[in-house]
Amino acid sequence: MKMRKRPNVLLTGTPGVGKTTLGKELAQRTGLTYVNIGDLAQEGQLYDGYDEEYQCPILDEDRVVDELDEKMVEGGAIVDYHGCDLFPERWFHIVFVLRTDNTQLYTRLESRGYAGKKLQDNVQCEIFQTIYEEAMEAYSEEIVHQLSSNTPEDLERNLEQIVQWIEQWMKDHN
Ligand code: ADP
Ligand code: MG
């Protein structure tokens, strides 16, 4: 039996914009597999050193890519990560960059326990649209889309739009 082809979706954006919330619900609704790069790295200890400034381990990007490649070639993954230029371009059929107003993001990150430089840097990352620019550099511009992620209504609309896109992609490719 031939497996139905399924697309790979990248959800990216500054920490706190809502990637995990969207990705998990999207996986529920579509049957695609949710992949959280942070969790994957943690489970496999896919690290290469420690960042003293940010007090966090440094991702071993090559090992992350090796670990996931087989699954990505197969298709049907929703990948969640706050960066996007470490992945092979060929992996993704569509890239969504979630965006949140900075006052809103500040509140979300603060309630997550972020403070000081870590809080400032992440809010600044959003203000400077760092991840959006990274995505536009790393992928073909036609597949990169920004999504507002400020309210529960935004979340629902984003879910519906992506579910629809996935269904259409599967019709077109099977
Ligand atoms: P990320 O995975 O990008 O760091 P999360 O999915 O963990 O972000 O979301 C961060 C916080 O923002 C959570 O408390 C979540 O409930 C909230 N949140 C996510 N998306 C929305 C949205 N569209 N509207 C309001 N709150 C949201
Ligand atoms: Mg997350």
Side-chain angles (χ1 to χ4, degrees):
M1 195 190 85
K2 202 159 167 289
M3 269 284 275
R4 298 222 312 149
K5 278 199 199 170
R6 300 181 308 167
N8 290 321
V9 176
L10 176 59
L11 302 179
T12 190
T14 308
V17 292
K19 302 177 296 293
T20 302
T21 307
L22 178 67
K24 286 185 172 168
E25 181 59 25
L26 201 55
Q28 288 275 335
R29 293 192 191 186
T30 59
L32 269 62
T33 308
Y34 172 75
V35 179
N36 186 305
I37 298 297
D39 293 350
L40 185 88
Q42 165 79 42
E43 283 155 20
Q45 289 294 300
L46 307 176
Y47 299 128
D48 181 20
Y50 191 82
D51 187 321
E52 293 297 341
E53 189 181 0
Y54 288 96
Q55 304 268 308
C56 64
I58 299 164
L59 203 66
D60 187 334
E61 300 184 351
D62 292 343
R63 279 171 69 209
V64 167
V65 170
D66 282 352
E67 182 87 10
L68 271 181
D69 194 53
E70 205 174 319
K71 170 169 197 54
M72 298 304 293
V73 168
E74 188 184 304
I78 297 166
V79 173
D80 167 350
Y81 192 58
H82 59 257
C84 57
D85 63 3
L86 64 156
F87 307 119
E89 189 183 354
R90 64 182 162 80
W91 275 7
F92 295 105
H93 301 98
I94 197 157
V95 176
F96 294 104
V97 184
L98 277 64
R99 303 299 308 273
T100 301
D101 294 341
N102 45 68
T103 49
Q104 173 101 235
L105 187 67
Y106 189 99
T107 312
R108 286 188 200 169
L109 291 176
E110 218 179 14
S111 63
R112 186 182 271 186
Y114 285 24
K117 182 169 167 55
K118 191 171 178 181
L119 178 57
Q120 299 302 334
D121 284 358
N122 279 294
V123 172
Q124 214 166 68
C125 170
E126 186 61 8
I127 294 169
F128 292 156
Q129 21 184 49
T130 309
I131 310 292
Y132 177 62
E133 279 170 21
E134 187 180 314
M136 292 290 275
E137 289 263 312
Y139 300 92
S140 164
E141 293 186 8
E142 308 91 74
I143 73 158
V144 178
H145 304 275
Q146 297 193 79
L147 295 174
S148 287
S149 181
N150 293 302
T151 65
E153 292 73 33
D154 288 342
L155 173 62
E156 187 53 37
R157 194 191 54 244
N158 294 335
L159 281 164
E160 285 167 14
Q161 282 185 1
I162 302 174
V163 167
Q164 217 171 45
W165 183 88
I166 291 170
E167 283 170 358
Q168 189 59 49
W169 191 95
M170 287 176 63
K171 276 187 199 144
D172 295 343
H173 292 82
N174 286 289

